[in-house]
Amino acid sequence: MVLESRQSEQSSFPSLMPVYNRAKLSFDYGKGAYLYNKNGAYLDFCSGIAVTAFGHSHPYLVQALTDQAQKLWHCSNLFEIPLQQKLADKLINFSFADSVFFTNSGVEAIECGFKLIRKYFDDQGAPHRYRIISCINSFHGRTLAAISAGGQDKYKQGYAPYVDGFDHVPFGDSDALAQAITPETAAILIEPIQGEGGMAAASESYLKTLREIANQHNLLLFFDEIQCGVGRTGRFFAFEWANIKPDLVAIAKGIGSGFPLGACLATQKIATAFQPGNHGTTFGGNPLAMAVGNAVMDLITANGFLENIQEKSKILFIKLDRLKNKYPHIIMDIKGKGLMLGLKLHVSNTDFVNTLRDNHLLTVTAGDNVVRLLPPLIINDTEIDEAIAIIDATCQQWH
């Protein structure tokens, strides 16, 4: 059978589904903290929305991927994948967790967590405990369950009826959260830093109180660290700043540094709810992703790497704070933590991001009229100074 071409048919409808309002810009290649095209170099403080943790074309990651690509791409989870075990052991040795399920994305890790929570309480003889308390302005992904868990109406429009089982309270308000608990409540779902929601960072005292509330009411504490985890705040997990341990955590983005990879990490108490057949994935944990994930862990656990992130983030924050004081009519506040910072503006964040891009600094908007600054974790002092100079020049255009 010969497939017939439809090239002769004329249509104005885009061949790519129109779900993105893309900038009229593309890139030919990337190296370190920069992306390149015919117009030159662009300093990347977007990092694929906190994904390319080690910048572009990192030689160690490229080598790990290409070496594995010459051996085996896929064999499915019907068979043992030794690199999965290796990466799981690294994550467990470096975290609170006892068990890991690998996924292709952050939202799959979130969905895994939802299923684990329900299965755990069902095994406990309490299937009526299925509801999860999450926060207003939160963002947990774009599946039907994840947008129902999220606290932003703009993502829910057009997708009713929503998946049942989610209750929303103000972020940072532990009293409101405690009052929202019912006999059906099973878990608390929190982003330690609300990335898409405006870069609001949870205080250490708030996170500690959540752990106390969860213990008091026999709830599971589930952290969404898809954006803020894997070193972005200067600790492997952002919740570690509060010196607490959750029951489940979802990660993605930085753990693959650009290669599709996510994971749901859980304690033994929770993970034993899953038995063969309860969950699965075709591509999750494939040899290519595992090769990259292992290489990322090698880099991020290297001596002094996380401490260097803390140092660079302090430098970046201090210099941004000077700009805030210099341009108080433009920059209202600096939000976030580590190398996950946001500029809350008096002017349009969309216009500001567009102008930054014209000036060859790539950033991304967030809720609450915030511009997200998400440089690669390997950012150096010279690149920080370059970013500050571009932001300064951009502010002058509004002066």
Side-chain angles (χ1 to χ4, degrees):
M1 177 181 175
V2 178
L3 295 177
E4 295 182 6
S5 172
R6 297 177 56 197
Q7 289 181 350
S8 61
E9 296 181 17
Q10 299 295 316
S11 173
S12 60
F13 194 79
S15 55
L16 289 172
M17 288 192 183
V19 296
Y20 294 106
N21 186 21
R22 303 176 194 265
K24 300 295 182 183
L25 190 65
S26 63
F27 300 100
D28 301 318
Y29 66 97
K31 187 173 179 60
Y34 294 89
L35 285 165
Y36 297 86
N37 64 15
K38 63 182 180 181
N39 298 317
Y42 289 75
L43 183 55
D44 189 0
F45 268 49
C46 175
S47 297
I49 314 181
V51 170
T52 50
F54 290 89
H56 302 281
S57 304
H58 191 288
Y60 189 67
L61 302 184
V62 170
Q63 191 66 54
L65 180 60
T66 52
D67 284 351
Q68 184 59 44
Q70 296 176 46
K71 298 175 184 177
L72 181 66
W73 290 20
H74 179 78
C75 64
S76 94
N77 285 295
L78 296 173
F79 306 99
E80 292 183 350
I81 301 175
L83 286 174
Q84 267 192 34
Q85 187 66 57
K86 185 177 180 180
L87 181 53
D89 288 344
K90 288 179 181 178
L91 288 167
I92 288 166
N93 290 337
F94 210 66
S95 77
F96 73 99
D98 300 307
S99 194
V100 181
F101 181 85
F102 290 113
T103 67
N104 309 285
S105 65
V107 74
E108 290 173 70
I110 288 289
E111 291 278 349
C112 176
F114 292 163
K115 289 181 69 175
L116 259 178
I117 290 166
R118 291 197 179 191
K119 185 67 166 54
Y120 170 77
F121 280 102
D122 188 79
D123 287 354
Q124 299 296 310
H128 63 282
R129 297 189 67 180
Y130 69 98
R131 302 196 70 82
I132 296 174
I133 298 174
S134 61
C135 288
I136 296 168
N137 289 330
S138 63
F139 179 79
H140 301 292
R142 294 180 183 271
T143 64
L144 284 174
I147 62 171
S148 299
Q152 299 192 52
D153 290 340
K154 65 182 180 181
Y155 293 116
K156 297 180 181 180
Q157 292 174 7
Y159 300 114
Y162 308 128
V163 176
D164 184 36
F166 301 99
D167 303 301
H168 298 89
V169 298
F171 184 74
D173 189 337
S174 55
D175 290 336
L177 190 145
Q179 292 170 12
I181 296 170
T182 73
E184 294 181 326
T185 304
I188 300 166
L189 172 63
I190 297 289
E191 298 165 279
I193 303 175
Q194 290 189 329
E196 203 286 332
M199 304 296 271
S203 68
E204 294 176 21
S205 62
Y206 175 59
L207 295 179
K208 288 178 180 178
T209 301
L210 294 184
R211 181 69 271 178
E212 293 168 1
I213 291 172
N215 291 345
Q216 181 182 352
H217 295 274
N218 190 28
L219 306 177
L220 301 180
L221 184 57
F222 185 9
F223 285 135
D224 178 344
E225 295 234 8
I226 292 167
Q227 187 167 156
C228 64
V230 195
R232 186 139 290 275
T233 68
R235 296 280 180 90
F236 190 76
F237 295 111
F239 71 77
E240 291 177 353
W241 291 101
N243 196 29
I244 59 170
K245 294 182 179 180
D247 300 292
L248 304 95
V249 169
I251 61 172
K253 292 185 180 285
I255 190 61
S257 195
F259 198 94
L261 174 58
C264 183
L265 293 79
T267 61
Q268 180 179 344
K269 165 186 165 183
I270 312 305
T272 51
F274 272 176
Q275 298 298 317
N278 290 150
H279 197 49
T281 173
T282 296
F283 297 110
N286 69 77
L288 293 175
M290 295 298 94
V292 176
N294 274 289
V296 165
M297 286 298 292
D298 290 344
L299 294 173
I300 208 162
T301 58
N303 238 359
F305 184 78
L306 291 174
E307 289 78 10
N308 185 65
I309 294 173
Q310 295 174 29
E311 178 188 339
K312 298 308 177 191
S313 65
K314 288 177 183 176
I315 292 170
L316 178 58
F317 184 91
I318 288 169
K319 294 188 175 185
L320 289 172
D321 192 55
R322 289 174 185 163
L323 290 183
K324 178 175 76 76
N325 294 331
K326 184 177 180 180
Y327 301 105
H329 59 295
I330 297 173
I331 302 174
M332 184 187 309
D333 195 13
I334 303 169
K335 305 176 70 176
K337 190 177 182 70
L339 291 179
M340 186 175 175
L341 297 176
L343 303 177
K344 181 172 171 59
L345 303 179
H346 291 289
V347 300
S348 164
N349 63 342
T350 300
D351 291 342
F352 202 82
V353 163
N354 291 341
T355 307
L356 288 173
R357 185 171 65 241
D358 291 341
N359 294 332
H360 286 226
L361 177 65
L362 304 177
T363 58
V364 58
T365 61
D368 198 29
N369 202 41
V370 166
V371 173
R372 276 180 278 188
L373 303 176
L374 304 165
L377 305 183
I378 57 169
I379 199 76
N380 62 38
D381 292 348
T382 300
E383 292 157 349
I384 288 173
D385 287 343
E386 181 182 349
I388 292 296
I390 294 174
I391 297 170
D392 192 337
T394 302
C395 287
Q396 289 181 32
Q397 294 178 239
W398 265 272
H399 197 56

